[in-house]
Amino acid sequence: MGKGKRVGIVGAGNVGSTIAYSLAMLGTCHEIILRDNKMEIAKGKALDMSQAAAAVRSHSVVSVAEKMSDLTDCDVVVITAGSPRLPGMSRDDLLMINANITREVVEGIAQYSPNAIIIMVSNPLDAMTYVALRESGFDRNRVIGMAGILDSARMAAFIQEKLGYGGGQIRASVMGGHGDDMVPLPRYSTVAGVPLSDLLNQTEIDEIVQRTRKGGAEIVALLQTGSAYYAPAKSTAIMIEAILKDTKQIHPCAVYLDGEYGYSDVVSGVPVMLGANGVEKIIEITLDETEKKMFADSCASVQSLIDTLNTNNFFQGA
């Protein structure tokens, strides 16, 4: 089977189903296969989306994998499955629960879609990407975390809101882990090629940076009963399309670093070239001293989660 035909999505909640819907409307791939423990709901969503695809005359068909062995020969598998943080649950509790879920899913992917590229969406994103890489045994170019596109899109939206113009022409750049320690890069952000610093003063730029870091929490507070899914889903679909169409486009994604930027054995968001083989090149941009310090703090935050996994002997025997 050639590239670009089959995408699996594990977790058919708001994010997973919206990814599937986005792909079906675009006709990005021929088959989209949902896998979820709420089987009847997944079947209903798949049927609804297949009918939507028929309405726009897309060739995409959405179906359901009743067991992991039905998720075979996928070109890309997206993982959105995971537990939300519940009342009384510590950060470490959530980390271990989702690490175990990720391990189980990844074992199935490695067995039934051994040539797939994995896109991780579950949180804590960078740590789960690390788990997926370790547990799959895949080369690092085939395990990619979705975060940088989302965080950059949020920053771009906040820039547009602040300016009141420039929609569609804003290129924002965010590196680092997906969390409060992310690294928005105003120096690499432009509007129609014009540097952001020529359009906004430092106070305004600082406000955008802080709002970007809290972008997810802002939406959670407004929704009250959930978290963002339209922007995360579209950001994931952009990555899938770049891989399936072999575009060689540069996007910020979470990847395992092996010496790049001076870091090893940690996952962080950096600009990468996406193509048919997943991450085909890691782009090392020049950071000033302030940016280097922020990136170091971000990597240290992810490292602390990896240390917690190691302390709990998660990778024993790996």
Side-chain angles (χ1 to χ4, degrees):
M1 181 178 291
K3 283 281 179 187
K5 300 299 182 187
R6 197 169 168 98
V7 174
I9 300 173
V10 182
N14 285 340
V15 175
S17 58
T18 307
I19 294 168
Y21 179 73
S22 184
L23 296 175
M25 291 302 94
L26 290 169
T28 302
C29 51
H30 180 60
E31 290 183 81
I32 303 159
I33 307 162
L34 302 178
R35 169 82 179 126
D36 196 275
N37 54 12
K38 296 176 181 174
M39 190 59 60
E40 296 305 306
I41 292 174
K43 286 180 178 178
K45 289 181 177 182
L47 189 58
D48 195 10
M49 281 187 264
S50 288
Q51 292 165 3
V56 298
R57 299 181 181 177
S58 163
H59 65 85
S60 297
V61 176
V62 187
S63 63
V64 169
E66 297 203 11
K67 48 191 183 299
M68 279 302 290
S69 57
D70 294 332
L71 208 67
T72 54
D73 299 323
C74 292
D75 297 286
V76 177
V77 179
V78 180
I79 304 176
T80 72
S83 171
R85 187 167 174 177
L86 303 174
M89 186 184 290
S90 72
R91 187 184 72 161
D92 287 358
D93 289 341
L94 179 65
L95 174 69
M96 298 310 299
I97 289 169
N98 283 349
N100 280 301
I101 291 171
T102 298
R103 168 189 276 158
E104 183 180 345
V105 170
V106 166
E107 285 174 351
I109 294 169
Q111 183 173 355
Y112 300 111
S113 287
N115 298 312
I117 291 166
I118 296 173
I119 296 179
M120 177 57 66
V121 183
S122 308
N123 283 317
L125 187 282
D126 305 277
M128 291 307 100
T129 303
Y130 185 90
V131 169
L133 178 67
R134 287 282 301 268
E135 294 299 309
S136 66
F138 288 4
D139 291 339
R140 65 171 177 155
N141 62 293
R142 291 202 289 133
V143 182
I144 319 166
M146 188 293 298
I149 296 176
L150 169 62
D151 295 329
S152 297
R154 285 174 171 161
M155 186 176 178
F158 296 146
I159 291 169
Q160 182 179 347
E161 186 179 316
K162 182 76 75 174
L163 284 173
Y165 59 84
Q169 297 179 302
I170 299 169
R171 300 291 178 267
S173 184
V174 179
M175 284 179 55
H178 184 54
D180 293 347
D181 294 308
M182 70 178 70
V183 186
L185 296 172
R187 206 163 56 89
Y188 285 101
S189 301
T190 61
V191 182
V194 179
L196 194 59
S197 57
D198 288 353
L199 302 171
L200 295 170
N201 62 43
Q202 191 58 50
T203 299
E204 291 169 323
I205 291 172
D206 290 343
E207 288 171 357
I208 289 167
V209 166
Q210 289 307 314
R211 195 175 175 196
T212 300
R213 288 185 173 135
K214 304 291 185 183
E218 182 177 347
I219 292 174
V220 168
L222 291 166
L223 291 176
Q224 297 183 7
T225 57
S227 55
Y229 52 96
Y230 292 120
K234 186 59 183 177
S235 299
T236 308
I238 288 168
M239 290 174 64
I240 295 167
E241 193 164 20
I243 292 165
L244 297 185
K245 293 185 176 180
D246 194 24
T247 64
K248 314 293 189 188
Q249 291 178 337
I250 295 173
H251 293 289
C253 300
V255 295
Y256 180 88
L257 298 180
D258 187 20
E260 293 85 5
Y261 292 93
Y263 294 88
S264 296
D265 197 32
V266 71
V267 168
S268 192
V270 296
V272 304
M273 183 178 78
L274 290 180
N277 297 311
V279 174
E280 299 194 351
K281 184 179 178 64
I282 294 176
I283 312 296
E284 294 194 64
I285 64 174
T286 303
L287 301 177
D288 64 24
E289 291 307 311
T290 301
E291 292 159 349
K292 284 179 181 177
K293 174 65 168 62
M294 288 192 297
F295 190 68
D297 290 344
S298 184
C299 288
S301 181
V302 176
Q303 186 63 57
S304 71
L305 296 177
I306 295 170
D307 290 344
T308 299
L309 291 168
N310 287 324
T311 299
N312 284 278
N313 300 314
F314 182 79
F315 297 110
Q316 264 189 335

PDB file of all heavy atoms in Angstrom, residues 8 11 23 30 32 34 38 45 50 57 85 132 183 211 214 225 267 306:
ATOM      1  N   GLY A   8      -4.953   6.141  11.250  1.00  0.00           N
ATOM      2  CA  GLY A   8      -5.632   5.669  12.452  1.00  0.00           C
ATOM      3  C   GLY A   8      -5.630   6.755  13.507  1.00  0.00           C
ATOM      4  O   GLY A   8      -4.676   7.532  13.627  1.00  0.00           O
ATOM      5  N   GLY A  11      -8.510   7.282  20.180  1.00  0.00           N
ATOM      6  CA  GLY A  11      -9.145   8.282  21.024  1.00  0.00           C
ATOM      7  C   GLY A  11     -10.073   9.127  20.172  1.00  0.00           C
ATOM      8  O   GLY A  11      -9.620   9.984  19.414  1.00  0.00           O
ATOM      9  N   LEU A  23      -9.791  15.821   8.317  1.00  0.00           N
ATOM     10  CA  LEU A  23      -9.173  15.020   7.252  1.00  0.00           C
ATOM     11  C   LEU A  23     -10.201  14.583   6.222  1.00  0.00           C
ATOM     12  O   LEU A  23      -9.942  14.603   5.011  1.00  0.00           O
ATOM     13  CB  LEU A  23      -8.488  13.784   7.858  1.00  0.00           C
ATOM     14  CG  LEU A  23      -7.309  14.020   8.795  1.00  0.00           C
ATOM     15  CD1 LEU A  23      -6.843  12.695   9.383  1.00  0.00           C
ATOM     16  CD2 LEU A  23      -6.157  14.724   8.081  1.00  0.00           C
ATOM     17  N   HIS A  30      -7.610   8.200   2.107  1.00  0.00           N
ATOM     18  CA  HIS A  30      -8.769   7.397   1.705  1.00  0.00           C
ATOM     19  C   HIS A  30      -9.509   6.826   2.904  1.00  0.00           C
ATOM     20  O   HIS A  30     -10.739   6.858   2.957  1.00  0.00           O
ATOM     21  CB  HIS A  30      -8.329   6.247   0.781  1.00  0.00           C
ATOM     22  CG  HIS A  30      -9.474   5.395   0.343  1.00  0.00           C
ATOM     23  ND1 HIS A  30     -10.546   5.910  -0.364  1.00  0.00           N
ATOM     24  CD2 HIS A  30      -9.753   4.078   0.540  1.00  0.00           C
ATOM     25  CE1 HIS A  30     -11.420   4.938  -0.602  1.00  0.00           C
ATOM     26  NE2 HIS A  30     -10.959   3.824  -0.057  1.00  0.00           N
ATOM     27  N   ILE A  32      -9.953   6.640   7.206  1.00  0.00           N
ATOM     28  CA  ILE A  32      -9.719   7.168   8.540  1.00  0.00           C
ATOM     29  C   ILE A  32     -10.360   6.188   9.508  1.00  0.00           C
ATOM     30  O   ILE A  32     -11.560   5.898   9.398  1.00  0.00           O
ATOM     31  CB  ILE A  32     -10.344   8.571   8.713  1.00  0.00           C
ATOM     32  CG1 ILE A  32      -9.789   9.542   7.656  1.00  0.00           C
ATOM     33  CG2 ILE A  32     -10.096   9.101  10.119  1.00  0.00           C
ATOM     34  CD1 ILE A  32     -10.664  10.745   7.410  1.00  0.00           C
ATOM     35  N   LEU A  34     -11.142   5.104  13.401  1.00  0.00           N
ATOM     36  CA  LEU A  34     -11.230   5.541  14.787  1.00  0.00           C
ATOM     37  C   LEU A  34     -11.144   4.344  15.729  1.00  0.00           C
ATOM     38  O   LEU A  34     -11.716   3.283  15.462  1.00  0.00           O
ATOM     39  CB  LEU A  34     -12.561   6.261  15.042  1.00  0.00           C
ATOM     40  CG  LEU A  34     -12.877   7.493  14.196  1.00  0.00           C
ATOM     41  CD1 LEU A  34     -14.258   8.029  14.571  1.00  0.00           C
ATOM     42  CD2 LEU A  34     -11.821   8.572  14.371  1.00  0.00           C
ATOM     43  N   LYS A  38     -15.260   3.717  23.886  1.00  0.00           N
ATOM     44  CA  LYS A  38     -16.709   3.950  23.791  1.00  0.00           C
ATOM     45  C   LYS A  38     -17.133   3.617  22.360  1.00  0.00           C
ATOM     46  O   LYS A  38     -17.285   4.490  21.507  1.00  0.00           O
ATOM     47  CB  LYS A  38     -17.048   5.393  24.166  1.00  0.00           C
ATOM     48  CG  LYS A  38     -16.708   5.720  25.617  1.00  0.00           C
ATOM     49  CD  LYS A  38     -16.957   7.177  25.943  1.00  0.00           C
ATOM     50  CE  LYS A  38     -16.592   7.473  27.405  1.00  0.00           C
ATOM     51  NZ  LYS A  38     -16.693   8.917  27.724  1.00  0.00           N
ATOM     52  N   LYS A  45     -20.100   8.502  15.381  1.00  0.00           N
ATOM     53  CA  LYS A  45     -19.316   9.603  14.828  1.00  0.00           C
ATOM     54  C   LYS A  45     -18.760   9.234  13.455  1.00  0.00           C
ATOM     55  O   LYS A  45     -18.766  10.058  12.528  1.00  0.00           O
ATOM     56  CB  LYS A  45     -18.170   9.968  15.780  1.00  0.00           C
ATOM     57  CG  LYS A  45     -18.629  10.659  17.053  1.00  0.00           C
ATOM     58  CD  LYS A  45     -17.448  11.029  17.947  1.00  0.00           C
ATOM     59  CE  LYS A  45     -17.909  11.787  19.179  1.00  0.00           C
ATOM     60  NZ  LYS A  45     -16.781  12.208  20.038  1.00  0.00           N
ATOM     61  N   SER A  50     -18.671  10.008   7.677  1.00  0.00           N
ATOM     62  CA  SER A  50     -18.688   9.425   6.325  1.00  0.00           C
ATOM     63  C   SER A  50     -19.778  10.079   5.484  1.00  0.00           C
ATOM     64  O   SER A  50     -19.598  10.330   4.287  1.00  0.00           O
ATOM     65  CB  SER A  50     -18.902   7.917   6.396  1.00  0.00           C
ATOM     66  OG  SER A  50     -17.744   7.274   6.889  1.00  0.00           O
ATOM     67  N   ARG A  57     -18.523  15.329  -1.401  1.00  0.00           N
ATOM     68  CA  ARG A  57     -17.952  14.484  -2.446  1.00  0.00           C
ATOM     69  C   ARG A  57     -16.462  14.215  -2.236  1.00  0.00           C
ATOM     70  O   ARG A  57     -15.667  14.213  -3.164  1.00  0.00           O
ATOM     71  CB  ARG A  57     -18.233  15.082  -3.838  1.00  0.00           C
ATOM     72  CG  ARG A  57     -19.728  15.173  -4.113  1.00  0.00           C
ATOM     73  CD  ARG A  57     -20.061  15.726  -5.464  1.00  0.00           C
ATOM     74  NE  ARG A  57     -21.526  15.789  -5.613  1.00  0.00           N
ATOM     75  CZ  ARG A  57     -22.142  16.293  -6.684  1.00  0.00           C
ATOM     76  NH1 ARG A  57     -21.429  16.791  -7.689  1.00  0.00           N
ATOM     77  NH2 ARG A  57     -23.461  16.318  -6.748  1.00  0.00           N
ATOM     78  N   ARG A  85      -7.033  15.236  34.050  1.00  0.00           N
ATOM     79  CA  ARG A  85      -6.661  15.337  35.468  1.00  0.00           C
ATOM     80  C   ARG A  85      -7.932  15.501  36.293  1.00  0.00           C
ATOM     81  O   ARG A  85      -8.686  16.461  36.103  1.00  0.00           O
ATOM     82  CB  ARG A  85      -5.707  16.511  35.689  1.00  0.00           C
ATOM     83  CG  ARG A  85      -5.145  16.579  37.105  1.00  0.00           C
ATOM     84  CD  ARG A  85      -3.980  17.547  37.160  1.00  0.00           C
ATOM     85  NE  ARG A  85      -3.506  17.752  38.515  1.00  0.00           N
ATOM     86  CZ  ARG A  85      -2.446  18.509  38.817  1.00  0.00           C
ATOM     87  NH1 ARG A  85      -1.772  19.101  37.865  1.00  0.00           N
ATOM     88  NH2 ARG A  85      -2.076  18.661  40.067  1.00  0.00           N
ATOM     89  N   ALA A 132       6.203   7.155  23.982  1.00  0.00           N
ATOM     90  CA  ALA A 132       5.842   6.502  22.715  1.00  0.00           C
ATOM     91  C   ALA A 132       7.082   6.077  21.939  1.00  0.00           C
ATOM     92  O   ALA A 132       7.122   4.990  21.342  1.00  0.00           O
ATOM     93  CB  ALA A 132       4.979   7.431  21.862  1.00  0.00           C
ATOM     94  N   VAL A 183       8.457  28.378  24.814  1.00  0.00           N
ATOM     95  CA  VAL A 183       9.340  29.493  24.449  1.00  0.00           C
ATOM     96  C   VAL A 183       8.803  30.237  23.217  1.00  0.00           C
ATOM     97  O   VAL A 183       9.202  29.966  22.079  1.00  0.00           O
ATOM     98  CB  VAL A 183      10.770  28.976  24.159  1.00  0.00           C
ATOM     99  CG1 VAL A 183      11.720  30.151  23.927  1.00  0.00           C
ATOM    100  CG2 VAL A 183      11.277  28.096  25.294  1.00  0.00           C
ATOM    101  N   ARG A 211       0.226  35.498  27.382  1.00  0.00           N
ATOM    102  CA  ARG A 211      -1.087  34.952  27.025  1.00  0.00           C
ATOM    103  C   ARG A 211      -0.932  33.660  26.226  1.00  0.00           C
ATOM    104  O   ARG A 211      -1.724  32.732  26.381  1.00  0.00           O
ATOM    105  CB  ARG A 211      -1.886  35.986  26.228  1.00  0.00           C
ATOM    106  CG  ARG A 211      -3.361  35.642  26.142  1.00  0.00           C
ATOM    107  CD  ARG A 211      -4.159  36.721  25.465  1.00  0.00           C
ATOM    108  NE  ARG A 211      -5.541  36.300  25.307  1.00  0.00           N
ATOM    109  CZ  ARG A 211      -6.415  36.890  24.487  1.00  0.00           C
ATOM    110  NH1 ARG A 211      -6.033  37.944  23.761  1.00  0.00           N
ATOM    111  NH2 ARG A 211      -7.650  36.442  24.393  1.00  0.00           N
ATOM    112  N   LYS A 214      -0.356  30.722  28.469  1.00  0.00           N
ATOM    113  CA  LYS A 214      -1.562  30.330  29.205  1.00  0.00           C
ATOM    114  C   LYS A 214      -2.746  30.099  28.260  1.00  0.00           C
ATOM    115  O   LYS A 214      -3.894  30.046  28.704  1.00  0.00           O
ATOM    116  CB  LYS A 214      -1.933  31.439  30.214  1.00  0.00           C
ATOM    117  CG  LYS A 214      -0.821  31.813  31.188  1.00  0.00           C
ATOM    118  CD  LYS A 214      -0.536  30.704  32.182  1.00  0.00           C
ATOM    119  CE  LYS A 214       0.488  31.138  33.224  1.00  0.00           C
ATOM    120  NZ  LYS A 214       0.826  30.047  34.162  1.00  0.00           N
ATOM    121  N   THR A 225     -16.111  22.963  31.118  1.00  0.00           N
ATOM    122  CA  THR A 225     -16.336  21.514  31.130  1.00  0.00           C
ATOM    123  C   THR A 225     -15.446  20.767  30.144  1.00  0.00           C
ATOM    124  O   THR A 225     -15.790  19.679  29.691  1.00  0.00           O
ATOM    125  CB  THR A 225     -17.805  21.187  30.799  1.00  0.00           C
ATOM    126  OG1 THR A 225     -18.137  21.769  29.527  1.00  0.00           O
ATOM    127  CG2 THR A 225     -18.736  21.727  31.859  1.00  0.00           C
ATOM    128  N   VAL A 267      12.686  15.258  24.996  1.00  0.00           N
ATOM    129  CA  VAL A 267      11.812  15.685  23.902  1.00  0.00           C
ATOM    130  C   VAL A 267      11.481  17.160  24.079  1.00  0.00           C
ATOM    131  O   VAL A 267      11.145  17.601  25.187  1.00  0.00           O
ATOM    132  CB  VAL A 267      10.514  14.851  23.874  1.00  0.00           C
ATOM    133  CG1 VAL A 267       9.472  15.476  22.946  1.00  0.00           C
ATOM    134  CG2 VAL A 267      10.805  13.415  23.437  1.00  0.00           C
ATOM    135  N   ILE A 306      10.362  13.038  32.815  1.00  0.00           N
ATOM    136  CA  ILE A 306      11.066  11.805  32.436  1.00  0.00           C
ATOM    137  C   ILE A 306      11.736  11.190  33.661  1.00  0.00           C
ATOM    138  O   ILE A 306      11.705   9.966  33.853  1.00  0.00           O
ATOM    139  CB  ILE A 306      12.098  12.100  31.323  1.00  0.00           C
ATOM    140  CG1 ILE A 306      11.392  12.555  30.038  1.00  0.00           C
ATOM    141  CG2 ILE A 306      12.967  10.865  31.049  1.00  0.00           C
ATOM    142  CD1 ILE A 306      12.323  13.084  28.965  1.00  0.00           C
TER     143      ILE A 306
END
